[in-house]
Amino acid sequence: GAGVSQTPSNKVTEKGKYVELRCDPISGHTALYWYRQSLGQGPEFLIYFQGTGAADDSGLPNDRFFAVRPEGSVSTLKIQRTERGDSAVYLCASSPLQRTGELFFGEGSRLTVL
Amino acid sequence: EDQVTQSPEALRLQEGESSSLNCSYTVSGLRGLFWYRQDPGKGPEFLFTLYSAGEEKEKERLKATLTKKESFLHITAPKPEDSATYLCAVQITSGAGSYQLTFGKGTKLSVIP
């Protein structure tokens, strides 16, 4: 596919469980972002990767959240000990350029924590 | 603290009834202001980038403008397929946070046939 691919599209889990969300960016895009969007809100920045390294992780809300991009392509967002407040749509975006606001977003992974 | 406020929260228009959406912002230094469109259940889709006051960008029935304090998205003779949530976002010039976009809550536009 030509676009950003995110899996799963929907995830329902119980409070306290561990969750992984995957993002496959557009081929050749070196910049990758994770955002979180709650109902009725705009997307909220979580983390930015340039290549394999996290250039800015200041948006991660606490140490239960962690993201990796080991080979500079696919990224995984990991959430430990999930809480009901973690319920949201997690959006991944990529770009061929650094430090740009022109992003290509995926359709998101909707996480529901019961 | 960087802030982005969009108004109105929701807007209903008759097909062909032109209007404008507002995005006001407060930032330490503006690198760029961005407009996105978001359809239900989808990720945001990039529309425009504006870098400096006085700049304008157009695409089909949409025109975006920028001043030092706000941006407008003008919609001329809208069609039902223009119905979506329109998001405004800002990026600051330097320092911590310059890789991030700060989004507003969006304006939900409904165009009635």
Side-chain angles (χ1 to χ4, degrees):
Chain A
V4 176
S5 176
Q6 291 189 246
T7 55
S9 55
N10 278 287
K11 175 71 177 178
V12 180
T13 191
E14 293 179 346
K15 180 176 180 293
K17 298 291 188 182
Y18 170 80
V19 166
E20 288 191 354
L21 307 175
R22 175 189 168 107
C23 173
D24 201 340
I26 294 171
S27 178
H29 283 196
T30 56
L32 185 146
Y33 302 77
W34 285 97
Y35 283 78
R36 176 169 73 173
Q37 187 172 27
S38 300
L39 193 63
Q41 304 293 315
E44 175 189 23
F45 172 81
L46 295 177
I47 188 169
Y48 161 63
F49 287 91
Q50 184 57 40
T52 60
D56 183 355
D57 64 358
S58 63
L60 295 177
N62 51 59
D63 61 6
R64 295 187 298 105
F65 288 75
F66 189 71
V68 295
R69 195 186 184 198
E71 298 179 355
S73 178
V74 171
S75 176
T76 305
L77 178 66
K78 308 180 180 193
I79 310 173
Q80 298 178 321
R81 304 182 305 280
T82 52
E83 300 178 357
R84 292 194 180 88
D86 299 335
S87 296
V89 175
Y90 289 81
L91 295 164
C92 178
S94 70
S95 173
L97 304 173
Q98 294 187 47
R99 201 177 284 182
T100 177
E102 299 179 18
L103 306 181
F104 296 83
F105 281 87
E107 295 197 347
S109 292
R110 179 176 297 277
L111 175 66
T112 303
V113 182
L114 301 177
Chain B
E1 181 181 334
D2 303 327
Q3 287 192 329
V4 179
T5 304
Q6 291 190 246
S7 62
E9 291 184 7
L11 181 63
R12 285 172 62 94
L13 298 174
Q14 289 294 127
E15 185 172 0
E17 179 187 2
S18 301
S19 188
S20 296
L21 312 182
N22 177 264
C23 171
S24 62
Y25 62 91
T26 305
V27 296
S28 51
L30 183 70
R31 178 180 176 88
L33 185 141
F34 306 87
W35 282 97
Y36 282 81
R37 168 189 172 130
Q38 187 171 27
D39 292 300
K42 305 290 187 182
E45 176 187 354
F46 169 75
L47 293 173
F48 302 111
T49 305
L50 300 165
Y51 290 110
S52 57
E55 189 174 2
E56 298 183 353
K57 293 276 180 71
E58 283 190 69
K59 179 180 179 180
E60 296 181 355
R61 294 176 293 282
L62 301 177
K63 183 168 82 171
T65 62
L66 182 65
T67 73
K68 289 187 177 179
K69 294 183 178 180
E70 57 191 349
S71 176
F72 292 94
L73 185 65
H74 306 277
I75 303 176
T76 301
K79 298 182 178 182
E81 53 261 41
D82 295 323
S83 297
T85 295
Y86 290 86
L87 295 164
C88 169
V90 298
Q91 185 181 24
I92 62 173
T93 51
S94 63
S98 63
Y99 295 104
Q100 310 170 13
L101 292 182
T102 299
F103 282 86
K105 293 183 179 181
T107 294
K108 184 176 181 179
L109 174 67
S110 301
V111 181
I112 313 303

